[in-house]
Amino acid sequence: MMALSVMPAAEPAPNGRVGTGAGAGTIEGALVLAYRNNPQLNAQRSATRATDENVPTALAGYRPRVTGTSSLTEQYLDNLTKTGTTPGGAALYTQSQGAAAVSSFGLTTTQTLFNGFQTANRTRQAEGQVSSAREVLRTTEQNTLLNAATAYMNLLQTAAILELQRSNVNVLEVTLRQTRDRFTAGEVTRTDVAQAESRLAAGRSQLSLAESNYVTAQAQYQQVIGVPAPARLAPAAPVDRLSPRTLDGAIARGRTEHPLITTAMYNVDIAVQQVKVAEGALYPTLSAVGSVQKTYGSASALTVLETLSASLGAQLSVPIYQGGAEYSTIRQAKETLGQRRLDLDTARDQVQSTVTQAWGQLEAAKAQINATQAQVTAAEVALNGVREEARVGQRTTLDVLNAQQDLVNARVALVTAQRDRVVASYTVLAATGALSAQVLALKIEVYDPVTHYQQVRDVWGGVRTPDGR
């Protein structure tokens, strides 16, 4: 198992940073890899591109529909025709027989001239769906980046705790050897040896748990980031500078920029257009229909060699009563619109609650760091004092072991607080809707969904996607 080289937490890292390691992987690098490789994010990008196709589908309602037909028929004709009578009154007949191949080729064009503005409303609805899909993509990007930052910090935290537990086991082993030597010299009792052995066994148990947590964190890192964890991780700094300085400012920013709210707003627009589309079914439909047909041969006369026919007309269809289904559809669309408006209110309340909760966690993490730093300092002083007092017989071995455990617990608490501090700063940024590759200034080409939309919006035909599939 790979282990990270982490300094003991007696001297906390500056600016709330966790861990160390020159030339190690960085949190910025992890975010870049997650932005590029995360399968959930890439799947949502594909879903956004699929939604882009709704617009050309809607625009197809403005375009003519052309249908070509052809047929080939083998005909056999046997005609008996009365041509007159003889002077004696007998009838005269003419008989014609023969086989003919009749081929026909036709072209029919239909152009919708008016359909109750359904095409225009469907186009606006599709454009709203595209905008909504982009906001859903932005939500996925935020979640991916937040998960990547969390996975990075979890791995950094478990690596630091693993080193602390390993160092604690080493100290306890030395303490046990010293206690056994003192027992041999008659300075302590068998009880002191047993206490040292018990504490060493507990330390080894904590070390095994730390190793398990580290392996789990490595697996989570690879799942989110998409690549195996590097051998060493560099410290990570909070991103408070990118967030508003006050809670009110953070709430205001979240209520205007968070993708959950903007998605809900676009969904309201989509529902409005759906109502108009449903109402368009009550309007008359006017279409122009043109056709051209060329026929070679005839099924009725062998003397006809070819025929050309063409027509152009207008067709008006006025719905009078269709069974009531269209009225039900309109009522249903209106109820959905009311639901989407309530969803918008829910999204605003949810974002405000999330921002407030994240802000509280960040403030608590800041206070926790100050408290645990003081705890570590005090625990170090206490351990040194207890050791000196134990040398002159004023403290027992148990007192030394307890002081050592207090220091380890304080250092673990400090590492955890430092991790929480960084993760909370990313959480606040995500809660306000500003956690993105652009805001973090990641060194990567930012995915722009507008590019694909512009590539397919006005395409009249073709089955290949812009990337060649």
Side-chain angles (χ1 to χ4, degrees):
M1 180 187 64
M2 293 185 297
L4 300 185
S5 176
V6 181
M7 295 293 292
E11 294 294 335
N15 300 323
R17 300 186 178 201
V18 182
T20 185
T26 63
I27 191 170
E28 291 80 9
L31 294 176
V32 167
L33 291 172
Y35 188 83
R36 181 186 298 123
N37 301 326
N38 187 271
Q40 184 178 1
L41 179 54
N42 287 328
Q44 190 58 49
R45 288 169 180 161
S46 296
T48 303
R49 292 192 295 269
T51 305
D52 290 344
E53 298 291 348
N54 290 346
V55 175
T57 299
L59 289 173
Y62 287 118
R63 300 165 187 159
R65 291 176 172 82
V66 182
T67 304
T69 60
S70 68
S71 64
L72 178 62
T73 305
E74 189 71 24
Q75 296 281 347
Y76 174 76
L77 298 178
D78 188 352
N79 292 333
L80 181 62
T81 306
K82 183 179 179 181
T83 59
T85 60
T86 65
L92 296 177
Y93 296 93
T94 302
Q95 185 177 20
S96 62
Q97 295 180 339
V102 180
S103 58
S104 176
F105 303 91
L107 200 65
T108 302
T109 302
T110 304
Q111 174 64 62
T112 301
L113 302 178
F114 180 77
N115 61 352
F117 309 103
Q118 292 187 64
T119 299
N121 292 326
R122 285 195 178 99
T123 300
R124 284 190 285 268
Q125 182 185 42
E127 290 171 343
Q129 291 170 345
V130 169
S131 298
S132 177
R134 291 176 185 173
E135 295 306 303
V136 173
L137 174 60
R138 198 155 67 90
T139 299
T140 306
E141 288 179 351
Q142 285 203 149
N143 294 338
T144 299
L145 293 175
L146 179 58
N147 291 339
T150 303
Y152 184 94
M153 295 308 301
N154 287 344
L155 183 59
L156 201 56
Q157 174 195 18
T158 54
I161 293 177
L162 176 59
E163 287 300 318
L164 289 174
Q165 296 297 344
R166 185 176 288 122
S167 176
N168 179 50
V169 168
N170 293 335
V171 171
L172 292 175
E173 288 175 346
V174 172
T175 302
L176 177 59
R177 287 196 298 269
Q178 292 175 347
T179 304
R180 285 173 175 171
D181 292 342
R182 295 179 65 190
F183 173 73
T184 302
E187 297 179 3
V188 296
T189 65
R190 179 63 187 170
T191 301
D192 296 289
V193 176
Q195 289 172 341
E197 291 174 343
S198 175
R199 194 58 57 87
L200 176 58
R204 287 172 175 168
S205 175
Q206 291 299 316
L207 176 59
S208 298
L209 179 61
E211 291 175 343
S212 175
N213 291 339
Y214 179 64
V215 173
T216 301
Q218 282 183 315
Q220 293 174 344
Y221 180 97
Q222 183 167 356
Q223 177 185 0
V224 177
I225 308 301
V227 297
R232 301 178 65 191
L233 300 180
V239 290
D240 296 345
R241 67 188 185 282
L242 304 177
S243 298
R245 296 187 177 183
T246 63
L247 175 58
D248 292 338
I251 292 176
R253 184 177 184 179
R255 290 178 67 88
T256 56
E257 298 183 12
H258 199 282
L260 286 180
I261 294 179
T262 52
T263 299
M265 294 173 64
Y266 284 121
N267 287 341
V268 171
D269 295 337
I270 294 170
V272 169
Q273 298 303 322
Q274 182 58 40
V275 172
K276 295 181 179 180
V277 170
E279 291 175 342
L282 301 179
Y283 287 76
T285 301
L286 178 62
S287 303
V289 181
S291 64
V292 177
Q293 185 167 2
K294 181 76 169 181
T295 303
Y296 296 92
S298 174
S300 59
L302 293 176
T303 57
V304 178
L305 298 181
E306 60 181 56
T307 304
L308 175 64
S309 62
S311 66
L312 178 63
Q315 181 177 346
L316 179 64
S317 175
V318 181
I320 297 177
Y321 184 70
Q322 308 295 324
E326 64 275 20
Y327 300 104
S328 175
T329 301
I330 293 173
R331 295 193 301 268
Q332 183 183 49
K334 290 181 177 179
E335 292 294 344
T336 301
L337 174 58
Q339 178 187 359
R340 293 295 175 262
R341 286 170 175 163
L342 294 174
D343 290 342
L344 176 57
D345 294 335
T346 301
R348 286 172 175 154
D349 294 339
Q350 179 181 348
V351 168
Q352 180 170 343
S353 174
T354 302
V355 171
T356 304
Q357 181 180 359
W359 190 273
Q361 292 174 346
L362 177 60
E363 294 300 316
K366 292 178 181 178
Q368 189 71 14
I369 285 181
N370 295 330
T372 52
Q373 285 176 339
Q375 181 183 359
V376 168
T377 301
E380 288 177 339
V381 174
L383 177 59
N384 293 332
V386 170
R387 283 174 175 171
E388 292 297 326
E389 292 172 359
R391 288 192 183 96
V392 297
Q394 296 181 352
R395 293 283 185 171
T396 64
T397 300
L398 181 61
D399 293 330
V400 176
L401 294 173
N402 289 338
Q404 169 65 21
Q405 188 61 46
D406 289 342
L407 177 57
V408 172
N409 293 340
R411 287 174 171 173
V412 170
L414 177 57
V415 169
T416 302
Q418 291 171 335
R419 175 264 180 201
D420 294 342
R421 169 78 171 85
V422 176
V423 172
S425 68
Y426 279 91
T427 303
V428 169
L429 197 60
T432 60
L435 183 57
S436 64
Q438 299 94 318
V439 174
L440 296 175
L442 299 181
K443 297 179 179 179
I444 189 175
E445 183 180 355
V446 177
Y447 179 81
D448 185 8
V450 178
T451 301
H452 179 269
Y453 173 77
Q454 293 174 342
Q455 290 173 334
V456 301
R457 186 185 190 278
D458 297 315
V459 175
W460 283 49
V463 296
R464 297 182 67 86
T465 60
D467 59 5
R469 293 196 302 271

